[in-house]
Amino acid sequence: ASDVYKRQIHKHHKKIKHDKNHKNTKHSNKETSERGMTQMEFNNIVPGMSYEREFIVEEGDTAAHFGNDNVPVFASPRLLSWIEGTAIGTVAPFLPAGWETVGTTFEFKHLAATPVGMKVRVITELKEVNGKLLTFSVKAYDEVDKISEGTHGRAIIDLKKFLGRVNEKGKK
């Protein structure tokens, strides 16, 4: 499958200690927000964390697959999904059980065409943490060129509450 990668590389801030059982760890670090509500602190998610994934472009990853029939090169929609997946991988091991991230903003340039069969390396680096809002710097390279650069925003969410709101919305 096109989203299968050959390697993953995590680079984390020196103070972070990666615990394989982290998702099963209960966190007691809480703070009171301005509204008096208790919310989780995410002290282990810090600027400087980065993640890298490598993919191989396949036919299903091309612009032709996404409706631009005569252009059999790596498609921007697939690039966006690979960027998003790599950003998720940057912080997912450090989120408590029941917490996830969702995409909020995407701003990237697709700088060069990549043919089928070529490797693409996507790198995300966490640049800013503002409460539950995360901003990533993103870059992607094929075997010859830098093919993308930009930023991607994500929000940390309590999955149960988030899905509850979505389910209620679906009933309207």
Side-chain angles (χ1 to χ4, degrees):
S2 62
D3 61 345
V4 175
Y5 51 89
K6 287 195 169 186
R7 69 181 169 157
Q8 302 181 108
I9 300 172
H10 264 98
K11 294 179 184 174
H12 301 285
H13 194 271
K14 291 179 183 178
K15 293 181 182 177
I16 294 175
K17 184 177 180 181
H18 187 88
D19 178 358
K20 290 181 184 177
N21 298 318
H22 182 77
K23 283 200 167 209
N24 298 325
T25 303
K26 294 195 180 205
H27 291 261
S28 59
N29 294 337
K30 294 187 177 183
E31 63 181 12
T32 303
S33 71
E34 293 173 11
R35 297 182 189 149
M37 299 170 62
T38 302
Q39 71 183 61
M40 183 76 62
E41 282 188 24
F42 300 95
N43 294 329
N44 53 350
I45 297 176
V46 296
M49 298 170 68
S50 65
Y51 192 49
E52 178 177 327
R53 290 175 71 183
E54 190 171 272
F55 304 85
I56 296 176
V57 177
E58 297 180 357
E59 294 291 335
D61 303 319
T62 65
H65 178 78
F66 286 91
N68 199 352
D69 297 339
N70 297 317
V71 186
V73 299
F74 185 43
S76 296
R78 183 67 78 211
L79 173 59
L80 182 125
S81 73
W82 289 357
I83 289 168
E84 186 169 31
T86 306
I88 291 168
T90 306
V91 296
F94 301 95
L95 291 170
W99 293 82
E100 298 290 337
T101 63
V102 292
T104 57
T105 62
F106 299 91
E107 185 177 327
F108 72 100
K109 296 177 185 175
H110 196 159
L111 303 169
T114 303
V116 171
M118 192 169 273
K119 292 178 188 175
V120 170
R121 185 169 46 100
V122 178
I123 304 164
T124 58
E125 181 179 349
L126 184 57
K127 288 295 193 179
E128 182 180 355
V129 179
N130 185 4
K132 292 182 184 176
L133 300 178
L134 310 175
T135 303
F136 295 86
S137 160
V138 299
K139 296 177 186 168
Y141 302 87
D142 62 22
E143 296 173 42
V144 177
D145 294 315
K146 180 179 192 179
I147 64 166
S148 181
E149 63 185 10
T151 60
H152 173 45
R154 299 194 69 73
I156 300 171
I157 54 132
D158 177 319
L159 187 59
K160 186 175 181 181
K161 288 180 184 178
F162 178 82
L163 293 178
R165 287 191 302 271
V166 171
N167 289 334
E168 285 300 313
K169 183 178 181 178
K171 293 177 183 176
K172 291 181 181 182

